[in-house]
Structures are given as C-alpha cells and as structure tokens.
Amino acid sequence: NPKKAPLGAHLYDLFEQIRNGSLRERIADRIISQISTWMPFVQLDELNVIFQEEDSSIPENSIGLRILFRITSRPDFSSLFEHVVTP
C-alpha cells in the first residue's frame, strides 16, 4: 500500500463508520481543516453535511455537501458549492 498523500479530506475513510451525530461533526471538521490548511484565503460561511435520510435525492451510502463560502480578498463575493460524495 503506498502512503496516502496529505491532500484532501479523505471522506471515503468515514463511510465504514456508523452514522451518528459525531460522524457529521467529524466530516465537517475534516473539511474545515483541509480548507484552513490548503486554502486559507477561503472563509466558510455555511457548511452542511447531508445524509440520504434527510434528502432523498442523495444516493444511498453517500454524503451531500453544501458549502457557502467567500474569498477573503473579495468579501462582497460569495459562492455555493454543492457536491455528493459516493463510495
């Protein structure tokens, strides 16, 4: 097994864990940590982790992400990033 690069949030590692309140927090913490490390110019305004039970458009065993963010040099500009992470 080659050593994993320290890039990315490694969300796939979390799929084997039982979904509970702490899983949502752990996912958010990983995303915040990676953004802080690799993109310090991004300010998160909102981060939502969404499971299939909450939104039927998300495939089973997948995680939806909804991130509202700003670029610190352009505080008047904000953008929304939505993505579904599937195993």
Side-chain angles (χ1 to χ4, degrees):
N1 257 347
K3 185 178 176 183
K4 283 186 182 178
L7 301 172
H10 300 288
L11 296 179
Y12 294 105
D13 296 344
L14 298 174
F15 278 112
E16 295 181 18
Q17 298 181 16
I18 298 171
R19 289 189 197 164
N20 59 35
S22 67
L23 178 59
R24 185 184 314 271
E25 292 171 16
R26 289 184 66 189
I27 292 169
D29 288 347
R30 283 191 183 191
I31 292 169
I32 291 167
S33 172
Q34 292 300 304
I35 289 173
S36 296
T37 300
W38 300 106
M39 297 186 300
F41 53 88
V42 171
Q43 178 177 337
L44 294 179
D45 292 329
E46 185 178 316
L47 171 59
N48 294 314
V49 178
I50 307 157
F51 297 117
Q52 196 262 342
E53 294 82 10
E54 301 159 328
D55 183 342
S56 62
S57 70
I58 296 172
E60 188 175 358
N61 298 320
S62 299
I63 299 169
L65 301 173
R66 186 176 188 277
I67 302 171
L68 182 62
F69 67 95
R70 288 182 277 151
I71 306 299
T72 54
S73 64
R74 297 272 320 270
D76 58 324
F77 172 79
S78 65
S79 188
L80 176 64
F81 172 77
E82 293 181 297
H83 182 69
V84 175
V85 181
T86 57

